Amino acid sequence: MRVDRDLHGTLIYGMTESQSSPTPDLGPGLGPPLVAAPADIELDALARDAEAAEFTPARSRIPSAPPSFFGLLPEEVEGALVAAGWPSYRAHQVLDWVYAKRTRDPGAMSNLGKAQREQLGGIVDLALPRIHRQVQSPKGDSVKYALELHDKTRVESVAMLSKRGVTLCVSTQAGCGMACVFCATGTLGLTRNLKADEIVAQVVHMLETTGWEDPGFNIVFMGMGEPLANYAQTLKAINVLRADEGLRVGSRRITLSTCGMVPQMHRLAKEGLQVGLAISLHATTDELRDRLVPINRRYPLRELVRAADFYATHTGRRVTLEYILLAGVNDKKGDAERLADIANALPCKINLIPYNPVPQLPWQRPTDEAIQRFADWLFPRCPAVTLRWSQGGEIAAACGQLGAKA
Ligand code: SAH
């Protein structure tokens, strides 16, 4: 079991690096695909805007089931209560209890009348998903939750505590249809899109269960799934989280990561939000990216970079280029040089992510020396480079490990 988040040790899942499986043979050329045969992947399905196939929750077909509170904007909460015959100021009281005072039990909402306290749960559902499993890292700085949704679907979320404060990593889909070959979630396939309430509930859940106090906490849409493939519900969740009478999470505290759904990147740029956008680049040639991140075959690098530039220009926010380092695959000097060229043409920062091994996959993290060497090639040419030593690796809660067995 890996024990330290600085990951300088050689222990990975109880193996020394020299004992772990060999580096995938991608040469000469790139070698055979290791996980998903490219031809097997239905690109139209990958690129499809999931709105077209919007998931209809079973709940909405049951007339008596109230909507989840956590999928409603404040004005929608007000609408639901007014429709039930309540005066509108009551909605402000309820929103204040839930989001400002963190109290979900109607019985404890002391400024409501007795009848209203009894009625509230029948108008809006204030329940959160059940925790199926909760794992805490040895140092207690990461907690991974597997939540069970109303239809028994499970999703994972991770809460992380660091010197910079609290970061909550949420899922937007159960599983993922993007099939990135190095990612644990990618091997699962897509089960379904999450509804906005199921996304917001993960945040509320983690704030409640960790008890960690950080009014400036950050949210990253970097859990399971591709947020831009579930565009409408992800955007709704963002708006619920941002609302003044909600959790008041400013857009700048929210980062959304995409594997490169170009049309949705353009669309998000025009929403008038200042949400941070991270782009899972991972390769600097179409030849390699086509294999690692299959959506590249639909939206190649040139279009991706153009969309990234459009996003940065429209929002006034630098984008982040995420670049996982895979030993022997994308960690050579030429890769660093091409990465610098891409980065220098864009308002961006680079986030290098040493690969977090996934037990059933053959990919490996480069040695610490190789990681440092790669960063050193980049630094003189691109000053805005950070190295992300992922948190939560020891509980299989680090980037790309969600869905893998802890
Ligand atoms: N679908 C979104 C969010 C995915 S998770 C996206 O592709 O961006 C967030 C980041 O973790 C992505 O950059 C993803 O490529 C990366 N990632 C996936 N598997 C990883 C792994 N095993 N180690 C490190 N990063 C990984």
Side-chain angles (χ1 to χ4, degrees), residues 55 129-134 144-157 170-176 185 188-194 198 202 223-225 402-405:
F55 162 75
R130 189 181 78 79
I131 299 180
H132 166 70
R133 191 151 177 252
Q134 177 174 340
K144 175 164 91 166
Y145 299 89
L147 300 180
E148 188 167 276
L149 306 176
H150 64 92
D151 61 355
K152 305 274 184 243
T153 299
R154 290 184 190 150
V155 288
E156 295 185 347
S157 327
V170 299
S171 296
T172 52
Q173 298 182 310
C176 185
T185 314
L188 299 174
L190 177 65
T191 303
R192 69 166 172 87
N193 283 330
L194 300 188
E198 294 168 329
Q202 295 171 57
M224 294 173 133
L402 297 187
K405 296 264 178 295

Side-chain angles (χ1 to χ4, degrees), residues 182-183 222 225-226 257-259 280 282 322 324 353 355-356 358 399-400:
F182 47 80
C183 176
M222 296 187 185
E226 165 55 42
S257 180
T258 180
C259 61
S280 295
H282 307 333
E322 296 169 285
I324 57 175
I353 312 169
Y355 181 63
N356 298 308
V358 176
C399 301

Side-chain angles (χ1 to χ4, degrees), residues 93-313:
Q93 292 176 324
V94 173
L95 285 156
D96 184 59
W97 279 110
V98 177
Y99 288 124
K101 302 198 179 84
R102 308 254 168 100
T103 300
R104 289 185 296 113
D105 173 12
M109 299 181 185
S110 52
N111 54 1
L112 301 186
K114 185 168 179 293
Q116 287 164 329
R117 290 201 291 264
E118 279 162 13
Q119 231 192 335
L120 182 60
I123 307 170
V124 283
D125 184 0
L126 283 156
L128 291 175
R130 189 181 78 79
I131 299 180
H132 166 70
R133 191 151 177 252
Q134 177 174 340
V135 194
Q136 190 163 334
S137 64
K139 280 197 272 174
D141 59 354
S142 307
V143 192
K144 175 164 91 166
Y145 299 89
L147 300 180
E148 188 167 276
L149 306 176
H150 64 92
D151 61 355
K152 305 274 184 243
T153 299
R154 290 184 190 150
V155 288
E156 295 185 347
S157 327
V158 186
M160 289 163 283
L161 186 61
S162 73
K163 281 194 251 45
R164 291 180 315 237
V166 171
T167 301
L168 305 175
C169 177
V170 299
S171 296
T172 52
Q173 298 182 310
C176 185
M178 295 294 132
C180 299
V181 295
F182 47 80
C183 176
T185 314
T187 64
L188 299 174
L190 177 65
T191 303
R192 69 166 172 87
N193 283 330
L194 300 188
K195 299 294 290 179
D197 65 273
E198 294 168 329
I199 300 171
V200 174
Q202 295 171 57
V203 173
V204 176
H205 218 304
M206 288 189 277
L207 292 173
E208 204 171 290
T209 42
T210 59
W212 293 341
E213 287 298 333
D214 174 10
F217 67 88
N218 294 298
I219 298 175
V220 294
F221 289 88
M222 296 187 185
M224 294 173 133
E226 165 55 42
L228 295 186
N230 185 16
Y231 191 95
Q233 295 299 315
T234 298
L235 191 67
K236 177 81 186 278
I238 289 172
N239 285 326
V240 171
L241 292 164
R242 291 173 60 237
D244 279 345
E245 285 191 282
L247 286 171
R248 308 179 69 118
V249 187
S251 296
R252 292 182 158 272
R253 286 158 51 199
I254 299 175
T255 301
L256 184 149
S257 180
T258 180
C259 61
M261 298 196 78
V262 163
Q264 289 82 352
M265 288 165 69
H266 282 276
R267 189 168 158 197
L268 187 66
K270 294 184 222 154
E271 298 285 357
L273 296 172
Q274 286 219 306
V275 170
L277 185 67
I279 296 156
S280 295
L281 191 70
H282 307 333
T284 55
T285 64
D286 282 322
E287 193 190 9
L288 180 60
R289 198 164 190 275
D290 278 355
R291 285 174 178 261
L292 298 180
V293 183
I295 190 113
N296 195 70
R297 284 175 251 153
R298 168 60 75 99
Y299 304 114
L301 278 169
R302 219 163 61 93
E303 288 181 40
L304 178 60
V305 169
R306 208 184 301 137
D309 192 40
F310 184 81
Y311 191 88
T313 317

